[in-house]
Amino acid sequence: MKDYRLDFPLLKRRYNDRALVYFDNAATAPKPQVVIKAVNDYYNLHNANIHRGPNFLSEEATLLYEGARKKVADFIGADKEEIVFTAGATAGLNLIARAWGENNLKAGDIIALSRAEHHANIVPWLQLKEKIGVVLEYIDIKADGTFNELSLDKIFDQPRLRVLAITQASNVLGQFYDLRLILKRAQAQGVLTVVDAAQSVVHNPLAVHDLDCDFLVFSGHKLLAPSGVGVLYGRRDLLEKIPPFLGGGGMIAEVKEQSFTPLAEALRLEAGTPNIEGAIALGAACDYLQEISWPEIIKREEVLKDYFLEQLSSLSFVRLLGGNEGRLPLFALDLQGIHPHDAADLLGEKGIITRAGHHCAQPLHDSLGIGASLRASLSFYNTTAEIDVFFQALQSIKKSFSF
Ligand SMILES: Cc1ncc(COP(=O)(O)O)c(C=O)c1O
């Protein structure tokens, strides 16, 4: 069995004389050497601005950047023209809420979200609520992490429903949502559909045309690529109608003293010099994952998930948030007698990187009646031996808290 840990320079680090166990992939993934090399190569060999100069460096940089757009498009089953590079999932969601929302919604229009959303898919809509008076409604989540159908029906019954903005996987419950039926239902009612794929995109193959959503966003850094780059997928007809969110260089066909004409294509939404090296490295991350292949990634993550759940079931002081079925290898834990921050701190001292808090999903934690949880989020390169290290450490921390 190949040891994919070896592809990641970060994982060679030791802390307090222990091997690093990186269980915080949902916050940000470590970067494989091929991705780091793509960034370095850009600076060492091709450093130039794109779409600008008639010189070989700019031509190379432009080819690499536009080549990355094609790689990302292929990775999610989209056309190149449907891909807008953004600064990340948050930037993409803000762009939709501002550029589409402000121009297409009115006071009293309803935006449906699930209770499992990350703040990135709540706050931009709350800002729109403050600005133009839209109404936010939340789909309830059942104890097993799935959507409550009754609450879904209630929301879909509302004639003022205009937008369904929903996550494909919860960054707390770990639940992966098969959104196809919900999206169909929304589209049949003329409701705009926005999918947050920030957590799901690195665990499952994505075919946006089959999913049939209007918009979808994700971040590069959770997909093994650098931070500061992300993707907004949009249906072409919609992208072409969105007024440019930011104005500046790179997005215009013509500028006069008193007027401007934006480009027709997706580039109109990429004003200014973008994160060129980030986009190129995101293309390299897509290549890397495709080379490993989805069946291999899914097989490995299933093994890790089953093993984690098995080990967890013998611990009486830990409650898993969400259910066992249909989840990613992402586990938020409610610990009896230990504050999650203390647990994460002490795990960190043993070289185990986890995350504690509300994970930018405060409404979800409120609805669960807890303030914070401890999250361990795994990826295909992690091992069952690392899971053993995690649980041994957690048990010894519990013991030290019991006196
Ligand atoms: C489900 C989900 N959506 C959106 C985001 C925001 O991503 P970013 O901070 O990279 O923009 C995150 C980040 O944790 C997330 O988990």
Side-chain angles (χ1 to χ4, degrees), residues 8 10-11 22 24-32 202 220-227 377 379-381:
F8 296 82
L10 177 76
L11 304 179
Y22 192 85
D24 201 14
N25 295 278
T28 195
K31 318 306 173 205
V202 70
H221 69 97
K222 296 184 202 286
L223 190 65
L224 316 180
S227 41
S377 52
S379 186
F380 64 92
Y381 67 79

Side-chain angles (χ1 to χ4, degrees), residues 180-193:
R180 280 171 300 185
L181 283 180
I182 294 194
L183 294 174
K184 249 195 191 74
R185 194 168 168 187
Q187 284 190 336
Q189 289 184 214
V191 171
L192 185 94
T193 56

Side-chain angles (χ1 to χ4, degrees), residues 87 219 240 265 320 376 400:
S219 298
E240 283 169 6
E265 61 265 29
L320 175 68
S400 69

Side-chain angles (χ1 to χ4, degrees), residues 16-39:
N16 283 343
D17 211 21
R18 295 168 199 246
L20 191 69
V21 173
Y22 192 85
F23 278 4
D24 201 14
N25 295 278
T28 195
K31 318 306 173 205
Q33 184 56 44
V34 284
V35 165
I36 297 168
K37 180 175 182 308
V39 175

Side-chain angles (χ1 to χ4, degrees), residues 88-369:
T90 303
L93 290 164
N94 276 275
L95 193 154
I96 300 164
R98 297 277 167 89
W100 188 90
E102 283 181 13
N103 289 290
N104 290 279
L105 297 172
K106 292 191 290 296
D109 284 347
I110 295 172
I111 311 217
L113 311 171
S114 85
R115 281 230 156 72
E117 299 310 315
H118 185 279
H119 295 166
N121 196 26
I122 300 177
V123 181
W125 303 112
L126 285 174
Q127 288 175 307
L128 203 56
K129 174 184 159 143
E130 283 176 2
K131 196 154 188 187
I132 62 172
V134 294
V135 175
L136 270 58
E137 298 220 348
Y138 291 86
I139 301 161
D140 291 336
I141 305 287
K142 295 193 287 195
D144 67 359
T146 59
F147 299 141
N148 176 315
E149 284 83 12
L150 278 179
S151 123
L152 254 179
D153 288 347
K154 237 168 94 188
I155 285 179
F156 272 113
D157 274 349
Q158 313 223 41
R160 294 292 301 271
L161 179 62
R162 295 282 180 270
V163 176
L164 174 72
I166 201 151
T167 193
Q168 198 180 24
S170 162
N171 70 323
V172 176
L173 304 170
Q175 185 72 33
F176 177 84
Y177 299 105
D178 181 354
L179 296 176
R180 280 171 300 185
L181 283 180
I182 294 194
L183 294 174
K184 249 195 191 74
R185 194 168 168 187
Q187 284 190 336
Q189 289 184 214
V191 171
L192 185 94
T193 56
V194 182
V195 173
D196 176 357
Q199 290 297 338
S200 51
V201 69
V202 70
H203 296 290
N204 280 296
L206 182 57
V208 278
H209 290 164
D210 291 346
L211 191 62
D212 206 11
C213 53
D214 294 318
F215 293 112
L216 179 142
V217 301
F218 58 90
S219 298
H221 69 97
K222 296 184 202 286
L223 190 65
L224 316 180
S227 41
V229 69
V231 169
L232 163 66
Y233 156 83
R235 265 185 27 219
R236 211 165 157 179
D237 56 320
L238 283 171
L239 283 184
E240 283 169 6
K241 272 189 242 141
I242 294 188
F245 178 48
L246 298 174
M251 49 70 76
I252 44 85
E254 189 180 54
V255 182
K256 297 286 183 198
E257 281 194 6
Q258 300 298 335
S259 64
F260 74 96
T261 313
L263 288 169
E265 61 265 29
L267 272 181
R268 74 218 292 272
L269 299 171
E270 293 180 16
T273 301
N275 183 346
I276 303 169
E277 67 281 23
I280 294 170
L282 177 55
C286 293
D287 282 348
Y288 172 74
L289 288 166
Q290 251 157 0
E291 208 167 290
I292 294 173
S293 85
W294 282 116
E296 170 81 351
I297 292 169
I298 290 168
K299 190 176 75 192
R300 283 179 175 251
E301 292 192 349
E302 281 292 317
V303 170
L304 293 170
K305 193 178 63 181
D306 291 347
Y307 191 72
F308 194 101
L309 289 173
E310 198 186 301
Q311 301 306 303
L312 185 69
S313 64
S314 62
L315 298 190
S316 57
F317 65 97
V318 182
R319 179 171 70 97
L320 175 68
L321 305 183
N324 286 7
E325 297 303 314
R327 67 156 57 241
L328 305 177
L330 182 164
F331 310 89
L333 310 175
D334 179 27
L335 308 174
Q336 251 173 42
I338 317 170
H339 193 282
H341 281 116
D342 291 333
D345 257 7
L346 294 167
L347 286 166
E349 286 310 300
K350 296 172 191 284
I352 304 165
I353 310 299
T354 57
R355 179 162 167 191
H358 52 57
H359 316 299
C360 300
Q362 222 172 355
L364 177 63
H365 277 78
D366 286 349
S367 75
L368 293 167

